[in-house]
Amino acid sequence: MLHRLGEFTVRRRRWILVGALVFFVAAGAFGGKVAKSLSTGGFDDPGSESSRAIQTLHREFGTGNPNVVLLVRARHGTVDSPAVRAEGLRLTRQLARERGVDAVVSYWSLRGAPPLRSTDSTEGLVLARIEGTDDTVRDRVEDISPRYTLATPDVTVGVGGRAEVFRQVGTTVESDLQKAEKLSIPVTMLLLILVFGSVVAAGLPLLIGGFAIVGTFAVLQVLSSLTDVSIFSLNLTTAMSLGLGIDYALFIVSRYREEVRGGLEPRDAVVRSVETAGRTVLFSALTVGVSLAALLVFPLYFLRSFAYAGIAVVALAATAAVVVLPAMIAVLGKRVDSLVLWRRKPKPEGTGFWHRLATVVMRRPGPIAIGIVAVLLLLGAPFLKVNFGLPDDRVLPQGASSRVVQDQIRTQFTSREINTMPVVAPDATAQPAQIASYATRLSLVPGVARVDALTGSYAGGRLVFPPNAASARFKAPNATWLSVVPNVEPMSDAGETLVRDLRATPAPFDVLIGGDAAQLVDSKHALFGRVPLALGLIGLVTFVVLFLFTGSLFVPAKAVVLNLLSLTATFGAMVWVFQQGHLSGFLNFTPTGLIDTTTPITMFCIAFGLSMDYEVFLLSRIREEYLASGDNVRSVALGLERTGRLVTAAAATLAVVFIAFATSQITFIKLLGVGLALAVVMDATLIRGTLVPAFMRLAGRANWWAPKWLRRVHDRIGLREAPEAIRPVPAGPVVDGTEPAPVGELVS
């Protein structure tokens, strides 16, 4: 099939390139503004108790937690000064008249409510809620924020709250994306020139990456009209498109140049490259795609969006690499090596660095394997103390205006009025005495500053404010709700403990508890409950695909184990840096003692897929050599020699892309960039350079063993190169003195 595809790309090369150009232009025009169609939310499980509490609050009472806050600071005197009071009331009335804004209250409209006043009496709060979807809220706060960020002779005003925080997160992500592209593309081009020596050959992988980026933007534009898609998927789109586009193009272009040096005519070399490297690209794409598709099992659309983007990137990059790129090479012919800046002098076979490394490792495979595994486990040890959380304002840089407002509220106010936790009773016909009794019990829970209810406000087990006109908001036909105001940080262990204690408090009616802390508890439950399924799917499908690729049972098992070892070390390093705060000054972020719950899951699926990318490429050359010679040791050494430099180059370019995204000002994007860069470099060097040859040497001929019935299965449905793609070569020197096995033995 791939032979016919290669012939087709050569025969119809001009039509293919015209079609690709038309697609590129159309996709760019359609998907160029995709960022405006994407959302900044997606961190909650829509079926969880906390989400149902918020949905019920909206449906039955037409209200919800405040998502906009104005921090009003007196320039002279206190918030009770006449001029400051007048300005506070004016701002309250003005904000209440804004379209789509309701539930506006302030320190001054509530006649000096102490919780809305700072401890030094110089600051007061105006709270409000913007109704609507995430997109509606973002659009409204984008209009409101600049007009309410102001300074008068009497006060200064800053805008904060969840709506403004995540609006600024979204705009920061967009600007960071542009900065990362400007940084990564020229550096990547320089690396590719170092690899190929030719400007033309170096430019081809970037063209494939650009094709995948633009195509994926168009796909996300379509998907955003059908479902919620997170804006953070754009970062993955650009990074993975450049990374996989470059990887796959490196495989194809390098194989083409190798075949031309071996004596084939350019057109025949294109067909052979599609047959061999193209097969590797398709297998790699399948394993990477499966890893990313596992994110679809999670209910958070933040994670699902990474799956949408990742699957589109993989499909487009692979298609471009095996169809569009061969057509370009067929048109260029030997001009692929035009504009040569330097030429690498070929080394005799068996003399390169990677061959020598493999030979050294295979002479002492046991001690080397034990030592490397011990180091990886040691690096992974900090992950045993991981503490998960969800993003809040602290993912922004310290100078961001909404971050400044939130930090002031966090340090200068005694309660968390903007982080209230609604306790919703959707089918309650309770009497006031029952509501009062329940509110009293809730107010005694550690971490609760106050409970507001239909029957008044409670603190420390007693009524502190009787009901007033505003208390009517807690009543609806056959339903009521209570507002729990915490005095602990929602995204913390104390916040999670508070949620569990509130849910354990006996209630006279069925209740649903929401709020930021409850969302954290429910999201962790939803995510960790699905992790075994996701891991099982990735492991099973990867094992099956590698079996179809190799006909072996040991090689797929070894690949899965080594990838897990590599990721263990990466995760440990991420906890050491981002949770414990080491290098926080150098990397410019605020450690919170937490790791974003979704990031390790995303990182695992991406990094596992990329690890299999390099594994498939290495195994394809090892297997090719083994089929030709039957010598396990020789095939491993030659396979590593022929792929080591290329895999290292691919990993370096991909690491550059991820490091460019690590310059993001958003902490969890920085975490993803640093983590993936480390995972890719570690896998392409330490794992492929030492553990793979060590394990394959220890296994010997068992590398390619499978029971007879599985061999028959592989004979029938296994995927392999066409016979003409395998060129037998004479067996070379044997490292361990074992006679070469007959060609094909233990393979099929």
Side-chain angles (χ1 to χ4, degrees), residues 109 230 284 331 334 347 383 437 475 530 553 567 570 705:
S109 68
S230 171
S284 168
V331 169
K334 293 184 178 180
K347 294 183 179 181
F383 192 67
S437 176
K475 183 174 177 56
R530 305 286 182 91
L553 286 185
L567 290 175
T570 301
W705 176 86

Side-chain angles (χ1 to χ4, degrees), residues 167-187:
R167 182 192 73 82
Q168 291 193 357
V169 168
T171 56
T172 303
V173 165
E174 289 185 59
S175 64
D176 288 346
L177 187 62
Q178 296 172 1
K179 180 175 67 176
E181 290 172 346
K182 291 176 182 177
L183 175 64
S184 62
I185 290 176
V187 175

Side-chain angles (χ1 to χ4, degrees), residues 119 406-413 416:
T119 53
Q406 298 299 122
D407 280 342
Q408 280 294 102
I409 295 172
R410 185 176 287 111
T411 58
Q412 300 299 320
F413 289 77
R416 311 285 179 178

Side-chain angles (χ1 to χ4, degrees), residues 160-342:
R162 183 181 181 85
E164 176 64 359
V165 165
F166 280 93
R167 182 192 73 82
Q168 291 193 357
V169 168
T171 56
T172 303
V173 165
E174 289 185 59
S175 64
D176 288 346
L177 187 62
Q178 296 172 1
K179 180 175 67 176
E181 290 172 346
K182 291 176 182 177
L183 175 64
S184 62
I185 290 176
V187 175
T188 298
M189 184 65 183
L190 288 174
L191 285 173
L192 290 172
I193 291 174
L194 288 175
V195 172
F196 288 117
S198 160
V199 175
V200 174
L204 294 177
L206 285 178
L207 290 177
I208 299 304
F211 182 89
I213 290 173
V214 173
T216 303
F217 281 178
V219 171
L220 293 179
Q221 184 73 273
V222 172
L223 289 174
S224 68
S225 66
L226 304 174
T227 186
D228 291 317
V229 180
S230 171
I231 193 170
F232 304 110
S233 61
L234 294 182
N235 296 78
L236 179 70
T237 295
T238 303
M240 290 288 286
S241 293
L242 286 174
L244 289 180
I246 290 169
D247 278 5
Y248 295 163
L250 273 172
F251 299 163
I252 298 290
V253 174
S254 296
R255 187 61 184 245
Y256 167 78
R257 298 173 87 197
E258 181 182 326
E259 297 295 345
V260 169
R261 286 196 301 269
L264 289 183
E265 288 299 313
R267 293 189 179 186
D268 295 331
V270 170
V271 175
R272 179 65 60 82
S273 299
V274 173
E275 276 185 298
T276 53
R279 173 178 179 269
T280 302
V281 166
L282 293 179
F283 267 100
S284 168
L286 182 58
T287 56
V288 176
V290 166
S291 294
L292 290 167
L295 292 170
L296 293 172
V297 308
F298 298 102
L300 282 65
Y301 79 75
F302 173 83
L303 289 177
R304 297 171 72 90
S305 298
F306 281 89
Y308 303 149
I311 293 170
V313 164
V314 169
L316 287 164
T319 300
V322 299
V323 177
V324 181
L325 179 60
M328 285 193 282
I329 296 174
V331 169
L332 290 169
K334 293 184 178 180
R335 288 171 296 176
V336 164
D337 288 323
S338 299
L339 300 179
V340 175
L341 300 182
W342 72 285

Side-chain angles (χ1 to χ4, degrees), residues 468-738:
N468 53 37
S471 301
R473 65 192 177 104
F474 294 107
K475 183 174 177 56
N478 300 320
T480 189
W481 71 285
L482 303 87
S483 177
V484 175
V485 182
N487 58 16
V488 297
E489 181 65 40
M491 300 301 176
S492 66
D493 289 340
E496 293 186 62
T497 299
L498 175 59
V499 173
R500 287 189 285 268
D501 290 344
L502 290 176
R503 288 176 172 172
T505 302
F509 31 69
D510 293 333
V511 296
L512 301 170
I513 297 180
D516 292 341
Q519 179 191 344
L520 171 59
V521 171
D522 292 342
S523 295
K524 289 171 69 171
H525 180 267
L527 290 173
F528 298 151
R530 305 286 182 91
V531 164
L533 174 60
L535 295 181
L537 287 173
I538 293 173
L540 177 62
V541 176
T542 298
F543 190 93
V544 170
V545 168
L546 286 181
F547 169 74
L548 295 177
F549 185 68
T550 64
S552 162
L553 286 185
F554 175 81
V555 168
K558 180 266 303 175
V560 171
V561 170
L562 293 188
N563 284 355
L564 290 176
L565 275 174
S566 174
L567 290 175
T568 297
T570 301
F571 284 176
M574 293 305 94
V575 169
W576 188 80
V577 174
F578 286 91
Q579 179 177 306
Q580 298 176 4
H582 300 95
L583 305 180
S584 59
F586 176 73
L587 292 173
N588 191 27
F589 69 93
T590 301
T592 62
L594 302 170
I595 291 288
D596 172 43
T597 309
T598 59
T599 303
I601 296 172
T602 308
M603 190 187 302
F604 179 90
C605 293
I606 296 172
F608 191 92
L610 293 175
S611 297
M612 296 309 301
D613 180 29
Y614 299 136
E615 178 77 14
V616 167
F617 185 53
L618 175 58
L619 284 177
S620 69
R621 298 310 297 264
I622 292 176
R623 183 172 182 272
E624 188 174 326
E625 293 299 329
Y626 185 79
L627 288 172
S629 70
D631 183 349
N632 178 64
V633 173
R634 171 186 166 83
S635 65
V636 172
L638 285 179
L640 190 60
E641 178 183 5
R642 292 178 178 177
T643 62
R645 178 174 172 271
L646 195 56
V647 166
T648 303
T653 56
L654 192 53
V656 165
V657 174
F658 286 134
I659 289 172
F661 285 91
T663 63
S664 173
Q665 300 176 77
I666 304 302
T667 301
F668 60 85
I669 299 295
K670 190 187 299 288
L671 165 61
L672 194 62
V674 173
L676 288 175
L678 180 61
V680 165
V681 171
M682 186 180 300
D683 183 82
T685 55
L686 196 61
I687 301 297
R688 305 294 152 223
T690 59
L691 288 186
V692 167
F695 274 70
M696 295 196 78
R697 175 65 184 88
L698 290 170
R701 292 170 62 187
N703 280 312
W704 312 106
W705 176 86
K708 289 184 179 180
W709 68 273
L710 276 179
R711 281 191 241 164
R712 288 193 295 270
V713 170
H714 183 261
D715 289 343
R716 179 171 298 181
I717 65 174
L719 303 174
R720 52 174 62 83
E721 295 94 342
E724 61 268 24
I726 305 297
R727 298 194 303 269
V729 296
V734 180
V735 174
D736 63 348
T738 304

